[in-house]
Coordinates of all heavy atoms in Angstrom, one line a residue:
L7 N 97.7 96.4 65.9 CA 97.8 97.7 66.7 C 96.9 97.7 67.9 O 97.4 98.2 69.0 CB 97.4 98.9 65.7 CG 97.7 100.3 66.3 CD1 99.2 100.4 66.6 CD2 97.3 101.3 65.2
F13 N 99.3 95.1 75.0 CA 100.6 94.5 75.4 C 101.5 95.6 75.9 O 102.6 95.3 76.5 CB 101.2 93.7 74.3 CG 100.5 92.5 74.0 CD1 100.3 92.1 72.7 CD2 99.9 91.7 75.0 CE1 99.6 90.9 72.3 CE2 99.2 90.5 74.7 CZ 99.1 90.1 73.3
S14 N 101.2 96.9 75.6 CA 102.1 98.0 76.0 C 102.2 98.1 77.5 O 103.1 98.9 77.9 CB 101.7 99.3 75.3 OG 100.5 99.7 75.9
I15 N 101.5 97.4 78.3 CA 101.6 97.5 79.7 C 103.0 97.1 80.1 O 103.5 97.4 81.2 CB 100.5 96.7 80.4 CG1 100.4 97.2 81.9 CG2 100.7 95.2 80.3 CD1 99.1 96.8 82.6
A18 N 105.4 100.4 77.5 CA 105.1 101.8 77.3 C 104.0 102.3 78.2 O 103.6 103.5 78.0 CB 104.7 102.0 75.8
H38 N 89.7 99.9 71.3 CA 90.7 99.1 72.1 C 91.7 100.0 72.8 O 92.2 99.7 73.9 CB 91.3 98.1 71.1 CG 90.4 97.0 70.8 ND1 90.0 96.0 71.7 CD2 89.8 96.6 69.6 CE1 89.2 95.2 71.1 NE2 89.1 95.5 69.8
A39 N 92.1 101.1 72.1 CA 93.1 102.0 72.7 C 92.6 102.6 74.0 O 93.2 102.7 75.0 CB 93.5 103.0 71.7
K40 N 91.3 103.0 73.9 CA 90.7 103.6 75.1 C 90.5 102.6 76.2 O 90.8 102.9 77.4 CB 89.3 104.2 74.7 CG 88.6 104.8 75.8 CD 87.2 105.3 75.3 CE 86.4 105.9 76.5 NZ 85.0 106.2 76.0
A52 N 95.5 102.6 93.6 CA 96.1 102.2 94.9 C 97.0 103.2 95.6 O 97.2 103.1 96.8 CB 96.8 100.9 94.8
L57 N 99.4 106.1 100.4 CA 99.7 107.3 101.1 C 99.0 107.4 102.4 O 99.5 107.8 103.4 CB 99.4 108.5 100.2 CG 100.3 108.7 99.0 CD1 99.8 109.9 98.1 CD2 101.7 108.9 99.4
Q65 N 103.4 105.5 113.4 CA 103.9 105.0 114.7 C 104.8 103.8 114.4 O 105.7 103.5 115.3 CB 102.7 104.5 115.5 CG 101.8 105.7 115.9 CD 102.2 106.3 117.2 OE1 103.0 105.8 117.9 NE2 101.7 107.5 117.4
F76 N 98.7 98.6 108.1 CA 98.1 99.2 107.0 C 99.0 99.2 105.7 O 98.6 99.1 104.6 CB 97.6 100.6 107.3 CG 96.5 100.7 108.3 CD1 96.6 101.3 109.5 CD2 95.3 100.1 108.0 CE1 95.6 101.4 110.4 CE2 94.2 100.1 108.9 CZ 94.4 100.8 110.1
I79 N 99.0 95.7 104.2 CA 97.7 95.5 103.5 C 97.7 96.2 102.2 O 97.3 95.7 101.2 CB 96.5 95.8 104.4 CG1 96.4 94.8 105.6 CG2 95.2 95.8 103.6 CD1 95.4 95.1 106.6
I82 N 99.9 94.6 99.6 CA 99.3 93.3 99.1 C 98.2 93.6 98.1 O 98.1 93.1 97.0 CB 98.8 92.5 100.3 CG1 100.0 91.9 101.1 CG2 97.9 91.3 99.8 CD1 99.6 91.2 102.3
T88 N 97.7 95.1 90.5 CA 98.6 95.2 89.4 C 98.7 93.9 88.6 O 98.7 93.9 87.4 CB 100.0 95.6 89.9 OG1 99.9 96.9 90.6 CG2 101.0 95.8 88.7
V89 N 98.9 92.8 89.3 CA 99.0 91.5 88.7 C 97.7 91.1 87.9 O 97.7 90.7 86.7 CB 99.3 90.3 89.7 CG1 99.1 89.0 89.1 CG2 100.7 90.5 90.2
W94 N 94.8 90.6 82.8 CA 93.7 91.1 82.0 C 94.1 91.6 80.6 O 93.5 91.3 79.6 CB 92.8 92.1 82.7 CG 91.7 92.7 81.9 CD1 91.7 93.9 81.4 CD2 90.5 92.1 81.6 NE1 90.5 94.1 80.7 CE2 89.8 93.0 80.8 CE3 90.0 90.8 81.8 CZ2 88.5 92.7 80.3 CZ3 88.7 90.5 81.3 CH2 88.0 91.4 80.6
K101 N 93.1 87.9 72.8 CA 91.7 87.8 72.3 C 91.5 88.6 71.0 O 90.8 88.2 70.1 CB 90.7 88.2 73.4 CG 89.3 88.0 73.0 CD 88.4 88.3 74.2 CE 86.9 88.2 73.8 NZ 86.0 88.6 74.8

Side-chain angles (χ1 to χ4, degrees):
L7 190 58
F13 294 141
S14 72
I15 197 162
H38 287 292
K40 180 181 174 185
L57 292 174
Q65 297 271 344
F76 292 122
I79 290 172
I82 290 170
T88 303
V89 168
W94 175 255
K101 187 176 176 184

